[in-house]
Amino acid sequence: MAFCQKCGKELAEGAQFCASCGTPVGEAGNDGSKRVQKFEGEIRKCPNCGAVLESFQAVCPSCGFELRGSTKVASSVQKLADKIAELESTREEGNTGPINVWTQTQDMSASKTDMSIANLIKAFPVPNTIEEISEFMMLASSNIDSSMFVNAFAKIFSGRTIKDMSGLKAVSEAWLSKMEMMYKKASMSFAASPKFQQVKKMYDDKMAEIKKRKMKALILNPVSIGGILMIICLIMLAIAGDL
């Protein structure tokens, strides 16, 4: 059985021309001795098992092999950092000096810039590779302000405006929430990977830092409250003595 090399149709026995497209059978490359398949475009295959991959897949669905070299995957965390830097460049300068927190009348809600950054972090999709998760964990860890997770009384004495603290808290909470999601994904999908231990250490270190901050605040708060009450008592005694 012979086939036309131009159109693929079956050739009649002894035919000199293809009955479908008219190409001479004896023409170079069209002797009908074999049928050749041609593929248009690019077929991506897993280098580990050979399974055909869809575009932009970061992990082979057949064997779990982690794929590298995808520009889209490799740059998403960097793109997030660039977008945050761009938002920071639009931040309006406000009152950053110490203020009286008891008489403050200014707007105490987080700034538009901080809310935009927090929303950007919340919308960031969880990556499919342990490399990118690790990259995100490093970025998140360096941007989480652990002092924002203590109680409100402790933050009063931080020297920051309440508006600044509201913004820092919103952004830090967004980073921490996404960091926890990244860690869960890594522990479920990449626990056997050597890089998972790096991810785990970054997560554990940040959680321990937050816990330490909270414990320190619990110890200092009663001392601070006691000191304030003592000062009030001394003032009241002094006033009573004058009377």
Side-chain angles (χ1 to χ4, degrees):
M1 184 181 294
F3 299 89
C4 175
Q5 297 302 299
K6 184 174 182 180
C7 68
K9 297 294 184 179
E10 185 178 350
L11 297 172
E13 185 176 353
Q16 299 298 313
F17 297 90
C18 173
S20 178
C21 66
T23 302
V25 173
E27 189 175 279
N30 196 39
D31 58 7
S33 60
K34 59 181 180 179
R35 190 175 189 178
V36 178
Q37 286 184 310
K38 291 185 179 180
F39 298 92
E40 296 294 334
E42 182 179 326
I43 298 177
R44 298 176 66 243
K45 291 187 176 182
C46 173
N48 186 53
C49 69
V52 177
L53 304 171
E54 299 292 335
S55 298
F56 303 117
Q57 279 188 315
V59 178
C60 175
S62 298
C63 68
F65 183 79
E66 294 175 32
L67 306 168
R68 295 174 175 80
S70 170
T71 302
K72 182 177 180 181
V73 172
S75 63
S76 63
V77 175
Q78 183 58 51
K79 285 181 180 178
L80 173 66
D82 291 343
K83 288 179 181 178
I84 291 174
E86 185 179 344
L87 286 171
E88 284 288 359
S89 68
T90 65
R91 184 186 295 277
E92 295 181 2
E93 293 294 331
N95 179 20
T96 57
I99 59 174
N100 187 332
V101 296
W102 307 110
T103 60
Q104 180 173 237
T105 58
Q106 69 180 54
D107 179 16
M108 295 185 291
S109 61
S111 68
K112 290 182 179 179
T113 300
D114 286 323
M115 291 310 300
S116 295
I117 292 173
N119 290 332
L120 184 64
I121 297 166
K122 291 176 183 178
F124 184 73
V126 177
N128 292 318
T129 65
I130 188 65
E131 288 82 9
E132 195 174 21
I133 289 176
S134 177
E135 187 180 355
F136 180 90
M137 296 292 272
M138 286 188 286
L139 183 63
S141 181
S142 63
N143 282 280
I144 293 174
D145 188 338
S146 58
S147 67
M148 293 297 102
F149 297 95
V150 300
N151 60 50
F153 186 84
K155 288 188 285 187
I156 285 175
F157 300 96
S158 67
R160 297 173 173 137
T161 67
I162 294 179
K163 185 176 183 66
D164 286 343
M165 288 190 294
S166 296
L168 284 170
K169 188 173 188 295
V171 173
S172 292
E173 285 180 342
W175 279 117
L176 183 61
S177 176
K178 188 62 68 172
M179 190 182 199
E180 290 174 339
M181 292 173 64
M182 296 283 180
Y183 178 71
K184 288 179 181 178
K185 173 65 180 287
S187 62
M188 290 188 295
S189 303
F190 307 107
S193 171
K195 286 197 173 184
F196 172 70
Q197 295 305 317
Q198 299 176 10
V199 171
K200 185 176 187 302
K201 185 177 187 306
M202 285 187 280
Y203 177 77
D204 290 343
D205 287 350
K206 181 53 65 174
M207 298 307 293
E209 179 186 327
I210 293 173
K211 183 178 180 180
K212 184 178 179 180
R213 278 275 191 171
K214 289 181 177 180
M215 291 299 295
K216 184 178 179 181
L218 287 174
I219 294 172
L220 292 178
N221 282 354
V223 176
S224 301
I225 295 172
I228 292 173
L229 291 175
M230 184 176 293
I231 292 172
I232 293 174
C233 289
L234 290 174
I235 292 174
M236 292 180 67
L237 289 172
I239 294 173
D242 291 339
L243 295 176

